[in-house]
Amino acid sequence: AYKRFSELLPKEERENACSARVPKSQILTLPELRANPFQHRICHVFSTSESGDDSMSFEDFLDMLSVFSDSATSDIKSHYAFRIFDFDEDGTLDRKDLEQLVNCLTGQGEESRLNSAEMEQLIQNILEESDIDKDGTINLSEFQHVVSRSPDFARWGGWGFIT
């Protein structure tokens, strides 16, 4: 992990990798993140940057690797998946978060984007399946409940991000 992290830094900064921050633009060059539709959210969620630039310290990088490792528990993976999918960071997945999530998964091109009726039906289906308290949103415990019923989630590793 240290070697991969330090290789993202300019040569002159590599000897001080433990105290350096890697810019988001460099983190996004990792093959595991390059084609990931949630790459920006992943950087944002794992970054502890006070400036809001989503750069990562070595500890941030280790946190990201550990969450996406095979040895991370389903609870840890689902907690971070929830944070990544909570685009407005309000602690719930509402219709806007779900729409952004679907758009990330289906791609940004016009040919792959769902029309408004299809989007509405899909969001309605997601809420019917997941919104246990019927408040129109999915909270963390509801999300974790749905994930616990999915045997593929544990094998999902880093949801294709980093394994």
Side-chain angles (χ1 to χ4, degrees):
Y2 181 80
K3 183 177 186 289
R4 285 194 79 188
F5 182 80
S6 64
E7 287 171 351
L8 296 170
L9 291 165
K11 281 188 173 60
E12 62 274 7
E13 292 182 39
R14 288 182 184 168
E15 60 197 46
N16 298 320
C18 280
S19 60
R21 294 193 72 83
V22 171
K24 176 182 173 180
S25 60
Q26 282 301 109
I27 298 292
L28 294 178
T29 66
L30 291 169
E32 299 89 345
L33 288 176
R34 215 173 317 178
N36 190 289
F38 300 102
Q39 59 181 233
H40 296 286
R41 288 293 304 154
I42 292 167
C43 288
H44 183 73
V45 165
F46 285 97
S47 173
T48 57
S49 171
E50 292 179 10
S51 68
D53 64 1
D54 296 342
S55 63
M56 285 193 192
S57 67
F58 180 57
E59 285 195 22
D60 297 339
F61 188 73
L62 280 179
D63 287 345
M64 180 178 69
L65 291 179
S66 69
V67 168
F68 296 134
S69 77
D70 291 337
S71 61
T73 66
S74 181
D75 275 354
I76 296 287
K77 289 179 185 298
S78 61
H79 170 82
Y80 279 93
F82 183 85
R83 287 188 58 201
I84 290 164
F85 300 158
D86 183 12
F87 291 89
D88 60 10
E89 300 180 2
D90 67 353
T92 63
L93 303 183
D94 59 18
R95 287 179 171 277
K96 283 192 167 154
D97 291 319
L98 294 174
E99 186 172 335
Q100 281 187 266
L101 171 60
V102 170
N103 283 336
C104 281
L105 291 172
T106 59
Q108 300 303 314
E110 284 300 314
E111 69 285 347
S112 61
R113 183 162 282 180
L114 299 181
N115 67 41
S116 57
E118 292 168 329
M119 178 68 77
E120 181 54 37
Q121 184 61 58
L122 181 55
I123 290 173
Q124 192 58 41
N125 292 348
I126 293 168
L127 289 171
E128 282 175 20
E129 179 74 23
S130 310
D131 182 16
I132 297 165
D133 63 10
K134 303 300 179 204
D135 68 350
T137 66
I138 302 167
N139 62 36
L140 177 59
S141 64
E142 290 168 329
F143 182 79
Q144 288 181 320
H145 177 73
V146 169
V147 164
S148 72
R149 297 184 346 223
S150 171
D152 291 335
F153 191 80
R155 286 195 310 270
W156 217 6
W159 318 293
F161 305 148
I162 295 177
T163 53

